[in-house]
C-alpha cells in the first residue's frame, strides 16, 4: 500500500508543478488554491508512505515521478522541446526510479 501512496503523491506533485505555471505568480485565485491543495495532498501522501518506506528511496522516487511527469506534461501541454538528449536524460531518471524500487524492501 505504501508504494501506491507514494505513486499518488508523485502524481499530485506533477499537478502542483503544472499548477504553478497557471497561478501566474499566485495572482489567480482558483489555480492558486488548486495548486496549494495539490501540494498538501502530495506531501501528506508522501508522509504516509514514509511510515513504511525508507526515506531516501521514497523521496527519490517521489521527486523522480514528479520530474518525469512534469517534463512529459511540459512537452505535451506546453510544447516544450523533446530532443533526443532531453528524452535520454528522462530515461535515466526512469531507470533510477525502477532500480530503487527493485532494490528496496519496505
Amino acid at each position: 500500500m505504501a508504494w501506491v501512496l507514494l505513486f499518488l503523491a508523485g502524481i499530485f506533485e506533477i499537478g502542483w508543478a503544472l499548477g504553478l505555471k497557471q497561478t501566474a505568480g499566485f495572482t489567480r485565485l482558483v489555480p492558486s488554491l488548486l495548486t496549494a491543495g495539490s501540494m498538501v495532498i502530495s506531501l501528506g501522501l508522501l508522509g504516509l508512505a514514509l511510515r513504511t518506506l525508507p526515506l531516501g528511496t521514497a523521496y527519490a522516487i517521489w521527486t523522480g515521478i514528479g520530474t518525469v511527469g512534469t517534463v512529459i506534461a511540459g512537452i505535451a501541454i506546453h510544447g516544450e522541446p523533446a530532443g533526443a538528449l532531453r528524452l535520454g536524460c528522462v530515461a535515466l531518471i526512469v531507470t533510477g526510479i525502477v532500480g530503487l524500487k527493485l532494490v528496496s524492501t519496505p
Side-chain angles (χ1 to χ4, degrees):
M1 185 65 177
W3 290 107
V4 172
L5 294 173
L6 184 60
F7 176 76
L8 292 173
I11 296 300
F12 278 96
E13 185 186 6
I14 297 165
W16 71 257
L18 291 173
L20 281 174
K21 187 160 182 83
Q22 302 305 312
T23 68
F26 292 103
T27 60
R28 299 177 60 214
L29 180 62
V30 174
S32 296
L33 292 174
L34 291 173
T35 299
S38 291
M39 288 176 178
V40 169
I41 292 168
S42 179
L43 287 172
L45 291 170
L46 175 63
L48 292 174
L50 285 174
R51 289 180 176 172
T52 307
L53 300 175
L55 172 63
T57 299
Y59 185 76
I61 291 174
W62 176 67
T63 58
I65 291 169
T67 301
V68 170
T70 303
V71 169
I72 291 169
I75 291 167
I77 297 170
H78 299 292
E80 295 176 1
L85 187 56
R86 188 168 194 219
L87 294 177
C89 291
V90 170
L92 289 172
I93 295 169
V94 171
T95 301
I97 292 170
V98 171
L100 285 171
K101 167 66 172 105
L102 292 175
V103 301
S104 295
T105 56

